[in-house]
């Protein structure tokens, strides 16, 4: 049994930074303890160490270690590439070379400690997929250590994609929280952008929020836009998705229409301000530095540029470079 060839088939948003990945997840191997043990003993096997959402990066490529070099920590199977090389992740302490700092400062060897958010858009398809998968699983293992039924410490399965309670036998799986993110336009095709109260100064983006239990993604779009801006939307339509394991979201991108004659009423709990932008308004505000958009690693940036019709200037904060 073989898995289908990787390749997400990008929609109208084009290539999303964290929705890439070329390594086969070999899901059929996850219950094969002998295969996993043999892969862990194979010196060709590559291990990505992840600590608090960070990994070691050199020249926009992940730095892997051998199983022998990997630190103690929860281990999980990421997949196998077309050359037969197996990849694991380990949630454990990074071993940065002297001089490398958590701020992305390079050590003497050029190795940096970087977060997925900082480097996700710069990595190759293979590395972006592996880092995203590893961060998602590491975040789950790091925060779900006990059985939710009786509080007993759980035991991860050999592939690290589930965990079992030794007391009651209950099985537990990684959790993904769906969130919607939506670009709303008015009848003049102006786009609704908002500034979150928690963001510094010039940053604006489209609206977003979590899908609640018992709610469809489309219902969440309609509810969140109404809650945050008082705008009623129609014609909610799906664009595409991207994992955002910070710590465990799946971002579902949408467009929606705002019928004429509505007034924005900002919910100041979440937003500092929200207003309509024509394409010319937005470009002028970005070029003058009055406003800044989310980074290219985000689905928000792709949705805004898809509406605009091409690339826009500005980033929130560029990743540290040397
Ligand atoms: Zn239990």
């Amino acid at each position: 049994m073989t898995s289908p060839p990787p390749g997400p088939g990008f929609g109208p948003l084009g290539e999303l930074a964290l929705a890439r990945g070329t390594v086969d997840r070999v899901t059929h191997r996850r219950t094969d303890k002998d295969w996993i043990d043999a892969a862990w003993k194979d010196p060709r096997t590559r291990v990505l160490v992840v600590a608090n959402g960070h990994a070691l990066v050199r020249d926009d490529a992940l730095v892997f270690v051998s199983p022998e070099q990997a630190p103690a920590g929860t281990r999980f199977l990421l997949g196998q590439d077309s050359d037969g090389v197996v990849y694991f992740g380990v949630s454990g302490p990074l071993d940065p070379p002297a001089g490398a700092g958590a701020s992305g400062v390079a050590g003497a060897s050029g190795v940096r400690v970087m977060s997925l958010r900082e480097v996700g858009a710069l990595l190759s398809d293979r590395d972006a997929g592996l880092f995203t998968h590893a961060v998602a699983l590491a975040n789950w293992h790091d925060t779900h250590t006990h059985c939710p039924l009786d509080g007993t410490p759980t035991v991860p399965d050999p592939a690290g994609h589930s965990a079992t309670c030794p007391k009651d036998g209950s099985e537990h799986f990684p959790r993904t929280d769906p969130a919607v993110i939506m670009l709303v336009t008015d009848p003049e095709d102006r786009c609704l952008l908002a500034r979150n109260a928690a963001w510094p100064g010039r940053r604006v983006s489209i609206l977003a929020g979590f899908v609640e239990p018992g709610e469809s993604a489309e219902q969440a779009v309609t509810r969140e836009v109404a809650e945050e801006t008082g705008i009623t939307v129609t014609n909610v339509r799906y664009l595409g998705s991207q994992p955002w394991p910070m710590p465990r979201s799946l971002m579902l991108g949408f467009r929606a229409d705002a019928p004429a004659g509505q007034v924005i009423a900002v919910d100041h709990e979440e937003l500092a301000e929200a207003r309509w932008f024509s394409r010319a308004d937005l470009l002028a505000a970005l070029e003058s530095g009055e406003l800044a958009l989310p980074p290219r690693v985000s689905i928000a940036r792709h949705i805004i540029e898809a509406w605009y019709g091409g690339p826009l200037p500005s980033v929130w904060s560029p990743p540290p470079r040397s």
Side-chain angles (χ1 to χ4, degrees), residues 147 150 165 168 170:
C147 174
D150 60 17
C165 173
D168 60 27
S170 61

Side-chain angles (χ1 to χ4, degrees), residues 146-154 164-172:
H146 290 68
C147 174
L149 304 174
D150 60 17
T152 305
T154 52
T164 303
C165 173
K167 196 169 168 191
D168 60 27
S170 61
E171 211 180 351
H172 306 280

